[in-house]
Amino acid sequence: MKLGIIGYGGMGAWHHDNIKEKIKSIEVVAVSDIRLELEEKAKENGVKFYKTSAELWNDKDIDIVTIATPNDFHKELAINCLRNGKHVVCEKPVTMNSRELEDVIAVAKEENKLFSVHQNRRWDKDYLIVKEILKNKEIGEPYYIESRVQGSRRAMHGWRGYKVNGGGMVYDWGVHLFDQILNLTESPLVSIHGHLFSIFSEEVDDNFKALLRFENGLSVLVEVATNCFINQPRWHICCKEGTFTVEDWDCNGKIVKLKENSEMKWDNDIVYTSAGPTRTMAPRPDYTTIIEDLPELESDWSDYYKNILESIKDRGKLIVKPEECLRVMKAIDTIFLSWEKGTAIKCYI
Ligand code: NAD
């Protein structure tokens, strides 16, 4: 299959390099960008350069278009590509809100073309480890999850600092983290309370926290920070029979689970800790718990595009489904509404 890329900046070039290296059944044949100086780079990389995106979607040789422009252009570009007979892979956040995405999904259905979103962080190893532990139910059902990405570079890079372009961390990292969480449970999302901070950016959120509640009783804290100098674990997950952490993207971490039939005996006397007397918060005796390593897993991002190829033949196989991305965009709409109203918002997503 032949693929064209609209937007040949950081991520557009990343798609090109990685497809070339890892997916032999896709040939990147053309790119387009409003920065005409990128023609040189395209030539060096052996692909055609179109000065306008219309020339690219009118190229009859191209089967699939990947859209990697700033977020505010995604909807219009996706619709034009679909209308001109292309299958479309769109970068995240797929659109600026859920209404825009509904329009795109309707066009994809009318044109009978594949439409998917590059939610590549479903292939992150840390996330796959979390999924695996929860699927095995080794430490019971989760009732509280913390999912965090924390950095300290503060400033939003380029267009990410502007509201009109869909800048800010809710759209940027929030979309990934919401997509991961919404694909961990089938339970509907019933409330969202968002706290957005604009510490360094005039227009957009540069740090945020959101507390999500699901119908099955699960609560989730999602946090993205750009002004954090002491990081917390990437994942901290509380289940009924144990707790586990994935500390970082290198997937250090551990599972602490209760031993079977190891009842804890309470002392009659109060326990003295360095912070004074307490029974409830005194350390648990070691004989009641067991510490395990996180499972070792392999993950290959290129499965994303391999699945796109399979799904062009058989739509039933699509992994990142537009309807799932619609749930994510509805969650994003609700977090902005929550912050505007200054309260948690009930929802059913
Ligand atoms: P970037 O600024 O590096 O590149 C964007 C490119 O699009 C620029 O070259 C710009 O000139 C071009 N452009 C702007 N408007 C255009 C238009 N109307 N038509 C054609 N080209 C246009 O930005 P980026 O970091 O590559 O981000 C691009 C997209 O990729 C965004 O949606 C972003 O959220 C997404 N992204 C995804 C991931 C991921 O992990 N999935 C990572 C980074 C960025």
Side-chain angles (χ1 to χ4, degrees):
M1 290 242 159
K2 292 191 167 48
L3 185 138
I5 298 170
I6 302 182
Y8 201 42
M11 212 49 199
W14 184 93
H15 280 273
H16 186 182
D17 293 346
N18 281 280
I19 291 172
K20 201 154 90 181
E21 187 191 323
K22 296 188 176 140
I23 305 151
K24 300 298 164 211
S25 39
I26 297 181
E27 186 190 354
V28 179
V29 290
V31 299
S32 135
D33 199 291
I34 52 169
R35 285 192 291 148
L36 302 186
E37 69 270 21
L38 289 172
E39 180 161 14
E40 206 52 44
K41 182 174 168 184
K43 273 192 192 149
E44 277 167 25
N45 292 336
V47 289
K48 249 187 263 176
F49 181 84
Y50 288 124
K51 292 187 171 75
T52 67
S53 39
E55 286 172 88
L56 188 140
W57 70 60
N58 281 318
D59 183 335
K60 297 273 178 278
D61 267 357
I62 293 176
D63 308 291
I64 309 170
V65 177
T66 293
I67 298 171
T69 63
N71 307 330
D72 50 324
F73 298 106
H74 291 179
K75 175 190 170 180
E76 192 194 326
L77 291 169
I79 288 179
N80 276 312
C81 291
L82 290 163
R83 288 281 186 227
N84 284 281
K86 310 301 180 203
H87 302 292
V88 172
V89 167
C90 187
E91 261 306 342
K92 50 51 59 176
V94 53
T95 48
M96 300 284 279
N97 55 51
S98 60
R99 273 174 293 110
E100 285 194 3
L101 178 55
E102 279 165 349
D103 293 347
V104 178
I105 292 174
V107 174
K109 280 195 182 133
E110 269 174 47
E111 300 293 340
N112 193 25
K113 291 289 157 192
L114 177 135
F115 179 72
S116 183
V117 184
H118 188 234
Q119 293 293 169
N120 51 321
R121 295 206 170 269
R122 287 200 204 175
W123 280 264
D124 281 8
K125 220 183 241 192
D126 58 88
Y127 176 61
L128 294 176
I129 288 172
V130 168
K131 270 184 102 169
E132 176 76 6
I133 296 172
L134 295 182
K135 189 182 86 191
N136 291 343
K137 295 196 190 319
E138 257 183 82
I139 50 172
E141 291 291 334
Y143 58 88
Y144 182 58
I145 297 178
E146 293 180 353
S147 168
R148 291 191 167 86
V149 174
Q150 296 169 314
S152 54
R153 291 187 163 212
R154 297 177 162 196
M156 301 291 97
H157 180 250
W159 57 266
R160 283 175 176 77
Y162 300 104
K163 203 175 164 78
V164 66
N165 295 126
M169 282 297 117
V170 168
Y171 281 129
D172 200 54
W173 266 96
V175 159
H176 283 305
L177 303 192
F178 286 133
D179 180 70
Q180 290 182 334
I181 291 294
L182 290 174
N183 282 288
L184 273 183
T185 173
E186 283 174 13
S187 182
L189 179 56
V190 291
S191 89
I192 301 185
H193 198 172
H195 287 249
L196 277 55
F197 305 84
S198 298
I199 306 172
F200 304 102
S201 303
E202 284 175 17
E203 297 192 14
V204 299
D205 64 288
D206 45 33
N207 289 260
F208 81 86
K209 290 176 194 260
L211 197 53
L212 317 183
R213 195 178 157 79
F214 289 84
E215 195 175 46
N216 63 2
L218 172 69
S219 290
V220 179
L221 176 73
V222 173
E223 175 178 348
V224 175
T226 58
N227 190 44
C228 178
F229 298 87
I230 303 176
N231 285 1
Q232 292 160 288
R234 169 71 186 85
W235 296 91
H236 185 276
I237 301 192
C238 299
C239 299
K240 208 167 163 212
E241 306 301 324
T243 305
F244 70 97
T245 57
V246 184
E247 294 291 330
D248 45 35
W249 284 323
D250 291 330
C251 300
N252 296 302
K254 63 182 173 192
I255 309 173
V256 180
K257 64 179 183 187
L258 284 175
K259 278 187 186 161
E260 259 178 62
N261 307 321
S262 64
E263 262 182 48
M264 199 192 73
K265 294 179 199 71
W266 288 91
D267 293 325
N268 283 333
D269 296 330
I270 203 142
V271 181
Y272 282 87
T273 67
S274 44
T278 170
R279 271 198 189 90
T280 324
M281 291 303 158
R284 207 186 161 91
D286 287 345
Y287 65 80
T288 62
T289 56
I290 182 163
I291 299 175
E292 287 183 358
D293 291 336
L294 298 174
E296 296 273 343
L297 290 177
E298 284 312 312
S299 161
D300 182 359
W301 159 86
S302 66
D303 287 345
Y304 175 80
Y305 270 107
K306 288 176 190 151
N307 174 255
I308 293 295
L309 293 179
E310 279 171 19
S311 308
I312 286 173
K313 288 187 207 124
D314 176 359
R315 295 296 153 81
K317 292 198 171 134
L318 186 62
I319 295 176
V320 182
K321 299 177 186 61
E323 296 72 23
E324 292 167 347
C325 302
L326 188 58
R327 279 187 84 204
V328 175
M329 289 318 296
K330 285 182 177 170
I332 299 282
D333 293 348
T334 313
I335 188 175
F336 285 130
L337 181 66
S338 162
W339 183 236
E340 189 191 312
K341 302 275 182 207
T343 180
I345 302 286
K346 283 189 179 175
C347 53
Y348 202 79
I349 294 172

